Amino acid sequence: MLKADPTNTRYVCVALLGIVVARGAVTAGFGPLHPSERVIPPSAAGMGMQGGLSSQWFDRTPSGKQSRTPKGVEDGAMIYDPLQHRILLFGGKTDAGRLVDGLWAFDLAKSVWQEVTVLDPKPPAVEDHSALYDPIGQRMIIYGGIGGFSGSTTNNLWSFDLKTQRWRNMKGADVPRRELHSAVFDERGKRMVVFGGADRTHLDLYEVWALDLDPSSPTFEKWQNLTVEEGHPPGRLEHTAAYDPKKNRMVIHAGYAKAQKQLFQDTWEYVFDQARDKPGRWRRIDTGNTGPTARRKALSVYDASRNWLVIEGGEREKLAKRPVMMADAWAFELTADVWLDITPNNQGPAPRIGHRGIYDSDSQSVVLYGGVTEDKFLVPHDVWELRIQAAK
């Protein structure tokens, strides 16, 4: 387990585009707290700091004996619902490893969970699926994952209308099967773009597929294969990804090749073609010797206010055949293509994998939930907020 070092008084400065990036002790400037927030006291080293930004963990776990939490705590899928300022979580598995099909909402203003009552039909129980928010249709889309009695890879595709609170089955004959993949929303192309993962017969895929989400398009809700054979990254699963609207690209990082049992530390971009019906092009991004340790199953969110890909936690190389999980936080600054260490020095969530997170555009913070820790694989039902603001 990672621990803060109370004797750590280091200051690290890096020249970045003429700006000094520093890490060291800072003063908090986070404003008033919601009554449900519990601030964990920082260590003597203060809070994390990068490029004039300070970061701090806040425990947002609901308290009280009457507090309810989702049954699915590991390997579910989450989105931020901007219409009601809440998190929506679907599926995952319980403390005992049983798959669930419940939909839960976390009220970000009140810090409480509530199960969302929906009418049939609804998606089956699933884990290792993806979810994204479709701003055009104002809906949650969930895709793929492992489900059913056989525990096999699915091609399930469902949408949840955030206004009517109804599910719709979008599954068709052209839907590829996927698990442990990534999915991003391509703002310019108005589509969901999927990379990597596995299907029923192949591990460590490098395929790129897109689902058209533009209602005015003749191919609305149809799939297109955008796979590029030349210069593609090694196939992988359990990686992180984000869409960069400024450079019109998908950025992927790290992950795991199960066939070779290899962890990755690399960062790649898939630049979309100006024509929606044509594949893009891959390029490995040179980040030097900086950046996170090779890992898989890290949390991944896109910070729209700063144009960052934010990752947290994950599993690194095993020691003595035992998993080693992490609790560090990093931001890939997509404008300059550089990694920033934004790990707070105050006590936060225990190292873990299988957790999920969202970017809260109201507070401009990252909120994470659940997962499993390396401490005898305990499954915590906790909620944490990583708040990042300008240092004062």
Side-chain angles (χ1 to χ4, degrees):
M1 178 177 279
L2 302 181
K3 297 181 180 180
D5 180 1
T7 64
N8 182 2
T9 56
R10 63 184 174 176
Y11 288 80
V12 180
C13 296
V14 179
L16 170 61
L17 300 179
I19 301 173
V20 175
V21 179
R23 183 173 184 178
V26 297
T27 57
F30 295 93
L33 300 181
H34 186 275
S36 64
E37 294 177 341
R38 298 186 294 281
V39 182
I40 306 300
S43 68
M47 290 165 284
M49 180 176 178
Q50 282 284 354
L53 295 173
S54 60
S55 61
Q56 187 176 12
W57 284 114
F58 292 86
D59 189 348
R60 297 288 300 275
T61 307
S63 58
K65 295 182 179 180
Q66 303 303 317
S67 298
R68 300 181 64 203
T69 58
K71 295 178 180 178
V73 67
E74 180 188 356
D75 295 334
M78 289 169 43
I79 67 160
Y80 171 65
D81 175 5
L83 303 185
Q84 299 191 49
H85 187 49
R86 63 179 180 172
I87 293 172
L88 285 178
L89 166 71
F90 180 79
K93 57 189 175 186
T94 67
D95 299 18
R98 182 174 63 86
L99 301 187
V100 297
D101 62 359
L103 180 65
W104 286 75
F106 183 78
D107 188 314
L108 287 161
K110 299 178 181 178
S111 291
V112 293
W113 283 106
Q114 182 178 9
E115 188 169 9
V116 180
T117 303
V118 297
L119 299 174
D120 289 335
K122 63 180 181 179
V126 67
E127 67 169 327
D128 293 332
H129 51 301
S130 61
L132 61 72
Y133 170 63
D134 171 13
I136 304 171
Q138 295 184 330
R139 56 184 177 168
M140 174 186 189
I141 295 179
I142 64 167
Y143 165 61
I146 302 174
F149 294 106
S150 62
S152 59
T153 308
T154 76
N155 59 349
N156 292 333
L157 181 66
W158 290 76
S159 65
F160 181 74
D161 191 304
L162 299 180
K163 291 184 177 180
T164 65
Q165 306 281 288
R166 297 292 299 267
W167 284 105
R168 180 169 72 89
N169 191 348
M170 300 170 59
K171 184 176 178 180
D174 61 340
V175 182
R177 298 180 184 275
R178 285 294 181 276
E179 63 171 290
L180 300 170
H181 55 284
S182 60
V184 302
F185 180 72
D186 171 4
E187 292 182 14
R188 297 193 193 181
K190 299 179 181 178
R191 55 193 174 181
M192 177 175 77
V193 179
V194 173
F195 170 74
D199 60 21
R200 285 184 173 179
T201 58
H202 299 87
L203 295 171
D204 313 324
L205 297 170
Y206 59 84
E207 295 179 356
V208 179
W209 286 80
L211 173 66
D212 191 343
L213 298 177
D214 182 2
S216 65
S217 169
T219 57
F220 179 53
E221 295 187 350
K222 300 296 184 182
W223 288 88
Q224 180 186 14
N225 190 341
L226 297 176
T227 303
V228 177
E229 295 295 335
E230 182 179 353
H232 65 75
R236 67 193 65 199
L237 41 80
E238 301 175 336
H239 52 284
T240 59
Y243 173 72
D244 176 3
K246 296 184 178 180
K247 297 182 181 179
N248 192 31
R249 62 180 179 168
M250 172 177 63
V251 174
I252 67 155
H253 173 68
Y256 183 62
K258 191 171 184 178
Q260 290 79 30
K261 294 182 171 55
Q262 177 185 0
L263 284 178
F264 294 109
Q265 193 180 7
D266 51 354
T267 305
W268 290 74
E269 65 174 5
Y270 180 88
V271 181
F272 294 105
D273 194 275
Q274 293 301 315
R276 292 176 74 245
D277 60 341
K278 294 183 179 180
R281 64 184 186 276
W282 283 107
R283 183 181 72 90
R284 181 167 180 170
I285 302 173
D286 183 7
T287 60
N289 296 322
T290 64
T293 305
R295 69 189 65 202
R296 64 175 181 166
K297 299 192 106 175
L299 173 148
S300 172
V301 302
Y302 173 65
D303 180 338
S305 64
R306 303 174 183 92
N307 199 34
W308 286 357
L309 162 62
V310 178
I311 71 170
E312 195 277 339
E315 180 182 342
R316 56 176 293 178
E317 293 285 353
K318 288 182 170 59
L319 292 177
K321 297 183 179 181
R322 291 183 58 84
V324 180
M325 300 177 191
M326 295 173 288
D328 53 343
W330 291 79
F332 188 65
E333 207 283 312
L334 292 162
T335 302
D337 284 351
V338 293
W339 283 104
L340 305 175
D341 185 353
I342 59 170
T343 307
N345 285 331
N346 72 314
Q347 181 184 341
R352 65 190 63 196
I353 60 173
H355 51 315
R356 296 295 182 262
I358 58 95
Y359 172 71
D360 179 356
S361 57
D362 279 16
S363 63
Q364 297 185 355
S365 60
V366 175
V367 182
L368 67 85
Y369 164 71
V372 58
T373 72
E374 65 182 13
D375 184 13
K376 297 182 180 179
F377 278 80
L378 296 178
V379 183
H381 289 255
D382 50 358
V383 180
W384 290 85
E385 178 182 356
L386 175 60
R387 199 174 297 181
I388 306 162
Q389 293 188 358
K392 294 183 179 181

